[in-house]
Amino acid sequence: MELSAGSGMACKLEFAVQMTCEKCVNAVKSSLQGVQGVQDVNVSLESETVVVETTLPALEVQKLLESTGRRAVLKGMGSTKSQNLGAAVVMMEGPVLGVVHFLQASEDTCVIDGTLDGLSPGLHGIHIHEFGDLSRGYESCGAHYNPDGNTHGGPGDHDRHVGDLGNILAGDDGRAAFRIANERLKVWNVIGRSLVVDEGEDDLGCGNHPFSKITGNSGKGLAFGIIARSAGLFENTKKICSCDGVTIWEERDCPIAGPGRKNVQTTYAHL
Ligand code: ZN
């Protein structure tokens, strides 16, 4: 199972961080200094951005940055290579809400980083499905994305669906913050498809249930969304959302989706 936080290939995370002086810059730098999994930190006071080269999930880095008392907003995820190979984002909806970022970190490795809130504690299956159709919620998303005609399996198996990402782990607070590295997935093949997180644990094809070799028997979908192309690193220069004038700092206090987001609901679409 590829659940581990802080493993796999490093990527660059670009955060907007509220900074007004050198004191801010130093506070931000020291919040990340010596942290395992943080490989490089680049702070620009002028553009109020912090670029962190890391193997840690974005939420962990955001928490460290915000431990300085400053707001931090993830603006983009990029490869440590100079070339931008592709990135995507999914706004997850359903009873469970969240945001998941995809980054093609190299030709071989796709990094999937996300945070979901409102899950029951424990393991939950996560899969890419064939269709980007939410007209009937997760039920219209089709089967697991499976271009090779394989049987269902776990992310470490050779014989598995390309869309089989295994399980994510939610803590007692119902939050799952995860970072998965996947060698078979390519961002450009999954844009326009959907991502679904299920109510139960994926048995990775090893159970006795008739659905084990088809879906992992992980039950119904609790969170789902369409995988959409997103800005790569440094492509998103905006500090104020043009649709309603809400700054990204104010957005930070809004829920990522749902009724409480009614005034700023489209802002993530152009992040
Ligand atoms: Zn599958």
Side-chain angles (χ1 to χ4, degrees), residues 127 144-145 151-153 160-161 163-164 202 214-216:
H127 312 100
H144 295 174
Y145 175 51
T151 52
H152 178 79
R160 63 165 168 95
H161 303 147
D164 292 344
D202 183 339
I214 303 167
T215 66

Side-chain angles (χ1 to χ4, degrees), residues 32-54:
L32 297 172
Q33 202 153 34
V35 175
Q36 202 177 7
V38 173
Q39 299 174 353
D40 193 39
V41 180
N42 221 305
V43 183
S44 165
L45 176 59
E46 194 192 11
S47 61
E48 292 188 272
T49 56
V50 178
V51 177
V52 184
E53 201 172 313
T54 185

Side-chain angles (χ1 to χ4, degrees), residues 14-71:
E14 185 189 14
F15 291 89
V17 182
Q18 274 181 315
M19 293 180 288
T20 53
C21 62
E22 280 303 320
K23 214 174 128 192
C24 296
V25 173
N26 291 333
V28 163
K29 280 183 180 165
S30 58
S31 75
L32 297 172
Q33 202 153 34
V35 175
Q36 202 177 7
V38 173
Q39 299 174 353
D40 193 39
V41 180
N42 221 305
V43 183
S44 165
L45 176 59
E46 194 192 11
S47 61
E48 292 188 272
T49 56
V50 178
V51 177
V52 184
E53 201 172 313
T54 185
T55 54
L56 295 174
L59 184 73
E60 276 185 43
V61 179
Q62 184 182 327
K63 278 185 183 164
L64 289 167
L65 290 168
E66 295 198 331
S67 71
T68 66
R70 292 162 181 83
R71 301 258 182 91

Side-chain angles (χ1 to χ4, degrees), residues 1 11 23 34 36 100 108 178 180 195 229 247 255 257 266:
M1 249 184 316
C11 60
K23 214 174 128 192
Q36 202 177 7
V100 180
D108 297 325
F178 59 93
I180 299 168
L195 183 68
R229 190 196 168 278
T247 68
T266 55

Side-chain angles (χ1 to χ4, degrees), residues 53-226:
E53 201 172 313
T54 185
T55 54
L56 295 174
L59 184 73
E60 276 185 43
V61 179
Q62 184 182 327
K63 278 185 183 164
L64 289 167
L65 290 168
E66 295 198 331
S67 71
T68 66
R70 292 162 181 83
R71 301 258 182 91
V73 176
L74 180 64
K75 291 178 77 181
M77 227 174 132
S79 163
T80 53
K81 316 218 177 330
S82 52
Q83 198 185 358
N84 179 11
L85 295 170
V89 66
V90 192
M91 301 298 303
M92 303 293 281
E93 57 178 282
V96 168
L97 302 175
V99 183
V100 180
H101 290 267
F102 286 70
L103 171 75
Q104 195 66 39
S106 72
E107 288 285 343
D108 297 325
T109 306
C110 182
V111 174
I112 303 151
D113 184 296
T115 306
L116 287 140
D117 279 312
L119 290 163
S120 59
L123 293 168
H124 297 269
I126 178 169
H127 312 100
I128 292 165
H129 289 240
E130 291 173 283
F131 310 127
D133 177 2
L134 304 182
S135 57
R136 288 181 291 116
Y138 75 94
E139 289 178 14
S140 45
C141 292
H144 295 174
Y145 175 51
N146 181 25
D148 306 321
N150 290 344
T151 52
H152 178 79
D157 296 336
H158 182 70
D159 187 17
R160 63 165 168 95
H161 303 147
V162 172
D164 292 344
L165 303 179
N167 288 292
I168 56 173
L169 180 64
D172 290 338
D173 57 358
R175 169 169 281 189
F178 59 93
R179 190 182 196 279
I180 299 168
N182 190 292
E183 263 71 49
R184 212 176 291 177
L185 204 66
K186 308 292 178 223
V187 162
W188 45 86
N189 288 334
V190 298
I191 287 170
R193 302 187 189 279
S194 52
L195 183 68
V196 180
V197 173
D198 297 330
E199 68 177 349
E201 178 181 350
D202 183 339
D203 68 17
L204 311 178
C206 303
N208 296 319
H209 195 277
F211 290 163
S212 176
K213 292 256 185 292
I214 303 167
T215 66
N217 192 32
S218 47
K220 62 181 184 184
L222 288 186
F224 35 83
I226 297 170

